[in-house]
PDB file of all heavy atoms in Angstrom:
ATOM      1  N   THR A 107     126.007 217.447 164.859  1.00 77.00           N
ATOM      2  CA  THR A 107     125.704 218.674 165.583  1.00 77.00           C
ATOM      3  C   THR A 107     126.483 219.874 165.072  1.00 77.00           C
ATOM      4  O   THR A 107     126.024 221.004 165.160  1.00 77.00           O
ATOM      5  CB  THR A 107     125.956 218.503 167.097  1.00 77.00           C
ATOM      6  OG1 THR A 107     127.298 218.052 167.277  1.00 77.00           O
ATOM      7  CG2 THR A 107     124.984 217.505 167.701  1.00 77.00           C
ATOM      8  N   ASP A 108     127.670 219.644 164.511  1.00 79.00           N
ATOM      9  CA  ASP A 108     128.480 220.761 163.969  1.00 79.00           C
ATOM     10  C   ASP A 108     128.090 221.112 162.542  1.00 79.00           C
ATOM     11  O   ASP A 108     128.793 221.846 161.866  1.00 79.00           O
ATOM     12  CB  ASP A 108     129.970 220.445 164.072  1.00 79.00           C
ATOM     13  CG  ASP A 108     130.396 219.311 163.162  1.00 79.00           C
ATOM     14  OD1 ASP A 108     129.524 218.653 162.553  1.00 79.00           O
ATOM     15  OD2 ASP A 108     131.615 219.070 163.064  1.00 79.00           O
ATOM     16  N   LYS A 109     126.976 220.569 162.073  1.00 72.00           N
ATOM     17  CA  LYS A 109     126.435 220.806 160.724  1.00 72.00           C
ATOM     18  C   LYS A 109     127.195 220.072 159.613  1.00 72.00           C
ATOM     19  O   LYS A 109     126.900 220.231 158.442  1.00 72.00           O
ATOM     20  CB  LYS A 109     126.355 222.308 160.381  1.00 72.00           C
ATOM     21  CG  LYS A 109     125.588 223.137 161.379  1.00 72.00           C
ATOM     22  CD  LYS A 109     124.117 222.902 161.247  1.00 72.00           C
ATOM     23  CE  LYS A 109     123.382 223.931 162.092  1.00 72.00           C
ATOM     24  NZ  LYS A 109     122.448 223.402 162.992  1.00 72.00           N
ATOM     25  N   SER A 110     128.218 219.279 159.973  1.00 69.00           N
ATOM     26  CA  SER A 110     128.887 218.471 158.942  1.00 69.00           C
ATOM     27  C   SER A 110     127.973 217.310 158.599  1.00 69.00           C
ATOM     28  O   SER A 110     127.033 216.982 159.341  1.00 69.00           O
ATOM     29  CB  SER A 110     130.252 217.980 159.448  1.00 69.00           C
ATOM     30  OG  SER A 110     130.089 217.145 160.576  1.00 69.00           O
ATOM     31  N   ARG A 111     128.238 216.692 157.462  1.00 69.00           N
ATOM     32  CA  ARG A 111     127.342 215.654 156.949  1.00 69.00           C
ATOM     33  C   ARG A 111     128.147 214.493 156.407  1.00 69.00           C
ATOM     34  O   ARG A 111     129.211 214.690 155.850  1.00 69.00           O
ATOM     35  CB  ARG A 111     126.490 216.281 155.847  1.00 69.00           C
ATOM     36  CG  ARG A 111     125.394 215.421 155.329  1.00 69.00           C
ATOM     37  CD  ARG A 111     124.600 216.149 154.253  1.00 69.00           C
ATOM     38  NE  ARG A 111     125.366 216.365 153.041  1.00 69.00           N
ATOM     39  CZ  ARG A 111     125.577 215.447 152.101  1.00 69.00           C
ATOM     40  NH1 ARG A 111     125.049 214.257 152.225  1.00 69.00           N
ATOM     41  NH2 ARG A 111     126.286 215.726 151.037  1.00 69.00           N
ATOM     42  N   ALA A 112     127.635 213.290 156.571  1.00 72.00           N
ATOM     43  CA  ALA A 112     128.238 212.095 156.000  1.00 72.00           C
ATOM     44  C   ALA A 112     127.256 211.460 155.042  1.00 72.00           C
ATOM     45  O   ALA A 112     126.072 211.327 155.360  1.00 72.00           O
ATOM     46  CB  ALA A 112     128.609 211.099 157.103  1.00 72.00           C
ATOM     47  N   ASP A 113     127.726 211.092 153.849  1.00 77.00           N
ATOM     48  CA  ASP A 113     126.831 210.497 152.851  1.00 77.00           C
ATOM     49  C   ASP A 113     126.402 209.088 153.262  1.00 77.00           C
ATOM     50  O   ASP A 113     125.225 208.756 153.261  1.00 77.00           O
ATOM     51  CB  ASP A 113     127.511 210.445 151.478  1.00 77.00           C
ATOM     52  CG  ASP A 113     127.565 211.811 150.836  1.00 77.00           C
ATOM     53  OD1 ASP A 113     126.761 212.685 151.188  1.00 77.00           O
ATOM     54  OD2 ASP A 113     128.435 212.013 149.970  1.00 77.00           O
ATOM     55  N   VAL A 114     127.367 208.230 153.574  1.00 84.00           N
ATOM     56  CA  VAL A 114     127.058 206.834 153.953  1.00 84.00           C
ATOM     57  C   VAL A 114     127.978 206.423 155.091  1.00 84.00           C
ATOM     58  O   VAL A 114     129.193 206.630 155.021  1.00 84.00           O
ATOM     59  CB  VAL A 114     127.287 205.875 152.751  1.00 84.00           C
ATOM     60  CG1 VAL A 114     126.807 204.474 153.096  1.00 84.00           C
ATOM     61  CG2 VAL A 114     126.584 206.362 151.496  1.00 84.00           C
ATOM     62  N   ILE A 115     127.390 205.831 156.132  1.00 85.00           N
ATOM     63  CA  ILE A 115     128.178 205.353 157.257  1.00 85.00           C
ATOM     64  C   ILE A 115     128.117 203.830 157.247  1.00 85.00           C
ATOM     65  O   ILE A 115     127.038 203.233 157.293  1.00 85.00           O
ATOM     66  CB  ILE A 115     127.651 205.906 158.602  1.00 85.00           C
ATOM     67  CG1 ILE A 115     127.654 207.437 158.562  1.00 85.00           C
ATOM     68  CG2 ILE A 115     128.495 205.391 159.750  1.00 85.00           C
ATOM     69  CD1 ILE A 115     126.969 208.070 159.736  1.00 85.00           C
ATOM     70  N   LEU A 116     129.296 203.201 157.194  1.00 87.00           N
ATOM     71  CA  LEU A 116     129.395 201.750 157.075  1.00 87.00           C
ATOM     72  C   LEU A 116     130.293 201.209 158.175  1.00 87.00           C
ATOM     73  O   LEU A 116     130.876 201.976 158.939  1.00 87.00           O
ATOM     74  CB  LEU A 116     129.973 201.383 155.709  1.00 87.00           C
ATOM     75  CG  LEU A 116     129.238 201.962 154.495  1.00 87.00           C
ATOM     76  CD1 LEU A 116     130.060 201.762 153.238  1.00 87.00           C
ATOM     77  CD2 LEU A 116     127.869 201.372 154.351  1.00 87.00           C
TER      78      LEU A 116
END
Side-chain angles (χ1 to χ4, degrees):
T107 55
D108 67 353
K109 305 286 190 232
S110 63
R111 188 179 68 80
D113 286 337
V114 186
I115 303 172
L116 306 168

